[in-house]
Amino acid sequence: MMRLSQCHNFHDFRRLARRRLPSPIFYYIVGAADDEATHRRNSASFEHCDLVPSILRGVENVDLSGTVMGQKRVVPFYCSPTALQRLFHHEGERAVAGAASKFGTLFGVSSLGTVALEELRTAHPTPQVYQFYFHKDRGLNRAMLQKAKEAGVEVMMLTVDSITGGNRERDLRTGFSIPFRLTLGGMLQFAIKPMWAINYLTHERFKLPQLDAHIDMSGAALSIGRYFTEMLDPSMNWDDVSEMVQLWGGQFCLKGVMAAADAWRAADIGCTGIVVSNHGGRQLDGSRASFDQLAEIVDCVGDRIDVLMDGGIQRGSHVLKALSLGAKAVGIGRYYLYPLAAAGQPGVERALGLLRAEIERDMKLMGCKAISQLSRDNLRFR
Ligand SMILES: Cc1cc2nc3c(=O)[nH]c(=O)nc-3n(C[C@H](O)[C@H](O)[C@H](O)COP(=O)(O)O)c2cc1C
């Protein structure tokens, strides 16, 4: 039987998560769109980039701290917002926020989160990012912004790469959806993971508090699939977002920017940050890997707004390479979801600790004492 203490990297946590989770849930996390090519390339792209270390520069102490969108962060990575965390482990967002707070970094709360953003805001001092989807009902958008503002959310993050749902064939095969509509095979997979079911059933009822306050998601009234097709607004354009930025009047970030021209326009309408992201390959398959697209975007807008990136991060060296290209912080998704599923908050803490240790070690080996000393001079591309 594998234990948390035997997990030393991304792959170990993934393996443990696979043992603990009913497979329809595990494959919801694993999965990406179509042939999953973008998802694979997100991690593979780091291997086209080699590090050229500097030596003999006195590196006893390494400082990983910095600022992103006006927020102090102790480590250069943050927990990107992801949906449905209490399905993966009964502690859900509470575990992720708690771990992020211990490491002094930002955590994202999804619109499809399973713990209320207000509860998380009061539980921890670390900055909270609230991930927003744009609804057809403008009144609803305004009410949700107002609620987040009152709760003291520091950064608004509008996801712009999900104008329609990605084609996740693994979910089609298992029948994964909220509410559950499992295939017979999918149901069997729940039956053989009774510990998960006991935990799920003996803890607080599953809910989507960010939406429940505004939309009736109870029972089978509205599935998440229908929420996307019926409630969200595919006509969303730059004028709508510009209005939203004004209304928010604080740190505002677009998540899912891939084209340099869009990054430029984001700065024009007053965004203070963008995340170069393809949603972990879960939306447009064939989209370029985030790391491959990062330099172009930093060159275009790096002196106007904070450029962040996510996608495929499995190692400290990946974070280090993205920072060297000019990213102000790097988002992780599956990297914390597998340890969450495997072991709750202790799992996430172990994973974040390993990532921090890897970055610190690699900084020393690179001859860098501070993030500001990382640059493209120490990178070569194949
Ligand atoms: C299971 C899962 C659920 C996600 N849910 C959301 C979400 O609700 N909103 C959002 O903007 N991004 C969501 N994402 C995307 C992540 O925020 C992030 O962009 C992506 O996971 C980064 O890639 P990585 O998993 O390779 O690190 C989700 C990703 C996963 C794996």
Side-chain angles (χ1 to χ4, degrees):
M1 187 71 184
M2 189 183 186
R3 283 195 307 268
L4 183 61
S5 59
Q6 293 166 306
C7 291
H8 301 291
N9 65 28
F10 176 89
H11 304 283
D12 296 338
F13 289 117
R14 186 183 187 279
R15 212 169 295 130
L16 192 52
R18 184 181 193 160
R19 295 212 187 141
R20 299 265 160 96
L21 285 178
S23 66
I25 298 182
F26 176 73
Y27 285 116
Y28 167 71
I29 302 176
V30 169
D34 295 1
D35 297 314
E36 306 187 339
T38 294
H39 173 45
R40 282 191 299 279
R41 261 204 303 272
N42 273 346
S43 295
S45 64
F46 292 101
E47 286 172 30
H48 299 296
C49 173
D50 295 326
L51 297 167
V52 184
S54 298
I55 54 167
L56 305 177
R57 303 214 297 189
V59 286
E60 280 166 275
N61 299 309
V62 168
D63 178 12
L64 299 180
S65 67
T67 309
V68 60
M69 290 180 289
Q71 315 304 312
K72 285 211 161 57
R73 47 145 201 79
V74 180
V75 290
F77 51 84
Y78 64 95
C79 296
S80 189
T82 57
L84 310 179
Q85 290 175 17
R86 287 188 52 239
L87 271 193
F88 313 147
H89 187 279
H90 61 84
E91 293 169 0
E93 287 81 356
R94 293 183 182 107
V96 177
S101 182
K102 282 202 176 166
F103 285 81
T105 194
L106 298 76
F107 62 96
V109 178
S110 169
S111 279
L112 299 174
T114 50
V115 176
L117 66 95
E118 293 86 350
E119 181 198 318
L120 296 167
R121 180 55 296 156
T122 43
H124 305 288
T126 28
Q128 182 176 326
V129 173
Y130 177 48
Q131 179 268 320
F132 197 82
Y133 285 121
F134 194 83
H135 303 84
K136 286 178 185 158
D137 179 346
R138 305 302 152 99
L140 176 60
N141 289 333
R142 280 193 295 275
M144 288 175 93
L145 281 193
Q146 186 59 30
K147 210 160 166 272
K149 189 110 238 175
E150 280 164 15
V153 165
E154 281 82 359
V155 179
M156 184 55 59
M157 184 179 266
L158 177 69
T159 299
V160 286
D161 59 15
S162 303
I163 212 79
T164 186
N167 177 40
R168 323 253 175 92
E169 292 175 2
R170 292 183 197 255
D171 296 345
L172 299 179
R173 234 164 262 132
T174 61
F176 180 91
S177 67
I178 301 292
F180 289 132
R181 235 179 257 111
L182 296 168
T183 58
L184 201 59
M187 268 186 257
L188 183 68
Q189 294 306 314
F190 275 74
I192 61 173
K193 294 283 157 67
M195 275 318 289
W196 180 92
I198 289 168
N199 271 321
Y200 181 74
L201 295 171
T202 55
H203 289 88
E204 179 196 344
R205 194 175 59 83
F206 178 83
K207 22 183 218 300
L208 298 170
Q210 270 58 264
L211 301 182
D212 285 341
H214 309 278
I215 306 167
D216 182 15
M217 298 286 287
S218 60
L222 186 66
S223 69
I224 286 188
R226 275 183 57 209
Y227 165 74
F228 268 85
T229 53
E230 291 172 25
M231 306 285 298
L232 300 187
D233 190 356
S235 80
M236 169 172 70
N237 62 30
W238 286 102
D239 292 337
D240 295 321
V241 179
S242 175
E243 233 173 76
M244 210 183 141
V245 173
Q246 297 307 316
L247 194 65
W248 178 250
Q251 300 291 334
F252 196 107
C253 175
L254 293 186
K255 174 172 181 284
V257 176
M258 289 297 286
D262 287 340
W264 186 262
R265 203 149 174 197
D268 280 346
I269 64 165
C271 291
T272 50
I274 51 165
V275 188
V276 180
S277 169
N278 50 42
H279 214 108
R282 295 161 75 84
Q283 288 296 109
L284 177 65
D285 195 37
S287 178
R288 200 168 188 213
S290 324
F291 180 67
D292 287 337
Q293 192 63 357
L294 181 59
E296 191 176 320
I297 294 194
V298 169
D299 288 343
C300 180
V301 295
D303 53 356
R304 297 182 74 198
I305 53 177
D306 282 354
V307 179
L308 291 71
M309 73 82 69
D310 73 36
I313 301 292
Q314 297 180 357
R315 281 286 179 196
S317 61
H318 298 166
V319 176
L320 204 129
K321 288 173 183 178
L323 296 170
S324 301
L325 284 185
K328 286 280 162 17
V330 175
I332 51 175
R334 294 175 184 87
Y335 183 88
Y336 75 78
L337 287 176
Y338 293 134
L340 170 66
Q345 185 165 340
V348 181
E349 284 181 19
R350 181 167 172 88
L352 299 189
L354 288 170
L355 193 61
R356 181 177 63 191
E358 284 183 16
I359 298 170
E360 265 168 10
R361 184 186 311 117
D362 288 350
M363 292 272 292
K364 288 183 183 175
L365 293 170
M366 286 292 289
C368 293
K369 279 188 290 223
I371 304 287
S372 59
Q373 293 177 344
L374 291 170
S375 80
R376 293 185 200 181
D377 296 345
N378 291 76
L379 301 182
R380 294 293 182 277
F381 289 84
R382 282 158 194 255

